[in-house]
Amino acid sequence: MPHTTPAWFFFGDSLTQGVNDCLMPGGWVSRLAVLAHKTGLCPIPRATFYNLGARRHGTADIAARWRPELENRLIPGMKPHLVFCVGVVDMAAPGGGQPADPASTAALLLPVLEEAAAIAPTLVISPPPVAAAEANARIAQLCKLQQRLCDQHGIPFAQVHELLLTNSVYMDNLSDGLHPGSQGCAQMAQTLLAQQCVSEFMRAAQ
């Protein structure tokens, strides 16, 4: 039987990209990959990880680019797994614009999830918290809507907003109010892998 290459594709914004992690480029995505490898869920090699986070990319941006970016990286024998972590840009408006409406933002994610789930196992990670209380209130609303979409379509949903909002290590590590540094990224990776839906999703045998 020919070998397959299990691969995980992480689509998101600058928090997914890990812009403030000076110890491990790739932030929480890289840290999650290392943790999953160390626990035997997806040994490296052959497991492959693509961090496809991009600064200031909101849900609409990711909806427009995820499919071609995935297809450009697929190789024969690859078994893809798709991860989406979107919403901070929409709700916190880091570019100085007006924050988006949670319901409208969630609606943009629906066709993405329907298409993605038909292609490969798909996981949604809630947007993590930020320092501003008003933005966190919008993120909390968006999380509920994202979870509802996932429940309706049988897609696993990892809630990190609520868990990290009360995590002082994470919140104190938001030096610019949005992006965690190395300690915060480590906390997010640990928080994710501790959830059953994430640990099951990271198993290479899927």
Side-chain angles (χ1 to χ4, degrees):
M1 180 179 297
H3 286 307
T4 60
T5 302
W8 285 260
F9 297 79
F10 292 81
F11 297 95
D13 51 31
S14 54
L15 282 86
T16 297
Q17 189 183 17
V19 296
N20 273 12
D21 193 338
C22 62
L23 298 182
M24 185 179 289
W28 63 263
V29 172
S30 294
R31 292 173 182 275
L32 178 62
V34 170
L35 287 175
H37 164 72
K38 288 182 176 179
T39 55
L41 293 173
C42 46
I44 303 171
R46 296 184 309 276
T48 304
F49 298 88
Y50 292 96
N51 186 329
L52 298 171
R55 300 194 77 154
R56 295 190 181 179
H57 271 206
T59 303
D61 300 303
I62 293 161
R65 70 176 172 88
W66 76 270
R67 183 69 182 267
E69 291 197 0
L70 167 67
E71 292 177 346
N72 286 337
R73 290 164 175 83
L74 291 176
I75 61 175
M78 180 175 280
K79 188 171 185 180
H81 303 69
L82 310 178
V83 185
F84 296 90
C85 183
V86 299
V88 169
V89 170
D90 304 274
M91 299 297 101
Q98 290 295 318
D101 172 65
S104 299
T105 300
L108 293 172
L109 186 61
L110 175 58
V112 173
L113 297 184
E114 290 177 336
E115 187 175 357
I119 295 173
T122 300
L123 170 72
V124 175
I125 297 172
S126 79
V130 299
E134 291 185 0
N136 276 328
R138 290 188 292 271
I139 291 173
Q141 294 179 47
L142 178 60
C143 288
K144 292 179 180 178
L145 295 170
Q146 288 182 344
Q147 181 156 24
R148 187 179 303 167
L149 288 178
C150 289
D151 290 345
Q152 291 171 348
H153 291 81
I155 296 170
F157 179 81
Q159 168 63 265
V160 296
H161 182 261
E162 292 179 358
L163 297 173
L164 294 177
L165 189 60
T166 57
N167 184 315
S168 60
V169 174
Y170 185 89
M171 297 302 294
D172 290 346
N173 201 224
L174 298 176
S175 60
D176 62 0
L178 292 174
H179 303 95
S182 57
Q183 291 179 317
C185 287
Q187 289 293 311
M188 181 157 175
Q190 293 165 13
T191 299
L192 281 167
L193 201 59
Q195 298 187 46
Q196 183 178 358
C197 66
V198 177
S199 62
E200 291 179 352
F201 187 80
M202 298 301 294
R203 288 188 185 278
Q206 284 190 26

